[in-house]
Amino acid sequence: LFLSGKMTRPILELADVARKIAWMDFTSRYTGKREDEIGVLGTSINTISEELSRTITDLKQANEEIKNQMAVQKKFMASVSHEFKTPVALIRGYAEALTIKGDTATSAQIIIREADRLDRLVSDIMAVIKMETHVLPIEVRMQELGPFLAGVASRFETQALEKKAKLRITADPAIEIEIDSDRMTQVMDNLLSNAIRFVPENGKIMIRASKSEQQVRIEVENEGDPIPEEHIANLFTPFYRVDDSRSRKSGGTGLGLAVAKGIVTAHNGTCGVNNTSTGVCFWLEIPMHSDK
């Protein structure tokens, strides 16, 4: 009888552990110290329980991540739909106006501006896709930085005037830098459109460029409200927006800054943002000479 109990107790314990595993309870373990077949079986059941527990925990975490990604994608699609509809509606409206009234210059200017806005949005989406696949090609060549910045800024003069904002450039005329001008134009477009979006009426937007040893620093600063400190660390994350309602009202998909960071990184550079005494300053630093 004693031997019978000695044999059945560990078997019953194993059966109890196995039953709990079947009910997704992985807290129980076989505690026997036997070194025979029953002991080996108990050790195996404990290992299976631990592995199943880890696997299910990982699956739950992955499921939550998928849910979060789906929520982000839904938000992104809603933002993109909104962003596309606005310029398309404006283009259509002003194109119709061209056929019935004589103010063609103003209407044409607005059509061009909104077409540029659509082009930036499509470029940002394509850049994000390439960044996700770790393929963001750049083709660099030597550029005079002053004329390059002036050319980019000239495309935003009309928008600045609409807000009665002053757009100023301060750049060392001697700076030359190896960059992909198309990609870097995309960076500056995003930084400037962001600055114009949040600069107050009669405010100032400053573009500054300077060099230090083999680095070039470009700053885009706008007067206006500061960015809450708790949001700064996430600003360059794809689809991240400080305030959905504010972004929806003023425009923005949460892609522009992420794209800017990806392009700057492809140039072996860094970028960031900090609040100033009068507003917000986005900056980037890239080597004067590329290794691409």
Side-chain angles (χ1 to χ4, degrees):
L1 186 63
F2 172 75
L3 289 174
S4 176
K6 191 174 181 180
M7 290 292 294
T8 57
R9 271 196 299 272
I11 293 173
L12 290 173
E13 184 182 357
L14 284 172
D16 183 59
V17 173
R19 189 181 305 110
K20 288 180 177 178
I21 291 174
W23 287 97
M24 307 296 285
D25 179 357
F26 305 106
T27 58
S28 295
R29 295 289 184 272
Y30 171 70
T31 59
K33 304 297 183 182
R34 299 173 66 109
E35 297 182 359
D36 56 7
E37 291 85 349
I38 292 176
V40 172
L41 180 59
T43 301
S44 298
I45 287 178
N46 286 345
T47 301
I48 290 170
S49 179
E50 291 168 2
E51 290 295 330
L52 281 173
S53 179
R54 278 195 293 268
T55 300
I56 289 174
T57 299
D58 290 344
L59 286 172
K60 286 180 178 178
Q61 183 177 348
N63 187 49
E64 286 301 314
E65 290 175 357
I66 290 170
K67 286 181 180 178
N68 291 336
Q69 289 174 2
M70 290 179 66
V72 168
Q73 288 174 359
K74 286 180 180 178
K75 186 184 292 184
F76 167 65
M77 292 306 296
S79 297
V80 169
S81 297
H82 175 80
E83 288 295 299
F84 270 118
K85 284 180 180 179
T86 302
V88 167
L90 285 169
I91 288 171
R92 180 180 179 83
Y94 281 97
E96 290 175 349
L98 287 175
T99 66
I100 58 176
K101 65 179 184 179
D103 190 10
T104 58
T106 300
S107 296
Q109 199 170 52
I110 292 172
I111 288 172
I112 291 170
R113 183 191 69 195
E114 295 303 320
D116 285 343
R117 182 176 164 188
L118 279 175
D119 183 60
R120 285 197 301 273
L121 180 58
V122 172
S123 296
D124 284 350
I125 292 171
M126 294 303 297
V128 167
I129 292 171
K130 290 178 179 178
M131 285 161 54
E132 288 291 326
T133 57
H134 306 288
V135 179
L136 186 64
I138 62 171
E139 298 179 5
V140 302
R141 62 185 180 88
M142 191 63 73
Q143 299 274 334
E144 292 183 355
L145 190 57
F148 168 77
L149 293 176
V152 175
S154 67
R155 296 163 55 190
F156 290 86
E157 288 176 352
T158 301
Q159 294 177 56
L161 285 172
E162 288 175 358
K163 297 192 77 169
K164 301 177 182 177
K166 295 180 176 64
L167 182 58
R168 298 285 183 266
I169 302 175
T170 304
D172 184 341
I175 296 177
E176 291 190 343
I177 187 170
E178 282 186 308
I179 55 173
D180 183 321
S181 58
D182 290 338
R183 291 294 186 191
M184 200 55 65
T185 295
Q186 198 172 352
V187 172
M188 295 304 300
D189 279 354
N190 280 316
L191 296 184
L192 280 170
S193 62
N194 192 69
I196 287 176
R197 190 177 301 141
F198 295 113
V199 71
E201 282 199 3
N202 300 304
K204 294 178 183 177
I205 298 171
M206 287 74 70
I207 303 172
R208 293 185 287 265
S210 58
K211 64 178 179 178
S212 175
E213 296 182 354
Q214 297 301 309
Q215 292 278 327
V216 171
R217 182 181 176 94
I218 301 173
E219 298 177 347
V220 177
E221 181 177 350
N222 66 274
E223 293 182 338
D225 295 333
I227 299 170
E229 290 294 330
E230 64 269 22
H231 293 291
I232 286 180
N234 296 314
L235 280 181
F236 294 92
T237 302
F239 313 120
Y240 186 85
R241 298 188 299 184
V242 173
D243 183 326
D244 278 343
S245 60
R246 181 187 184 202
S247 296
R248 181 64 59 84
K249 182 179 178 181
S250 58
T253 60
L255 285 179
L257 294 178
V259 169
K261 181 179 180 179
I263 294 172
V264 170
T265 300
H267 282 78
N268 295 322
T270 58
C271 58
V273 58
N274 53 271
N275 291 319
T276 68
S277 59
T278 58
V280 177
C281 178
F282 284 88
W283 57 267
L284 61 95
E285 292 181 346
I286 53 178
M288 293 179 66
H289 300 285
S290 172
D291 61 359
K292 302 296 181 182

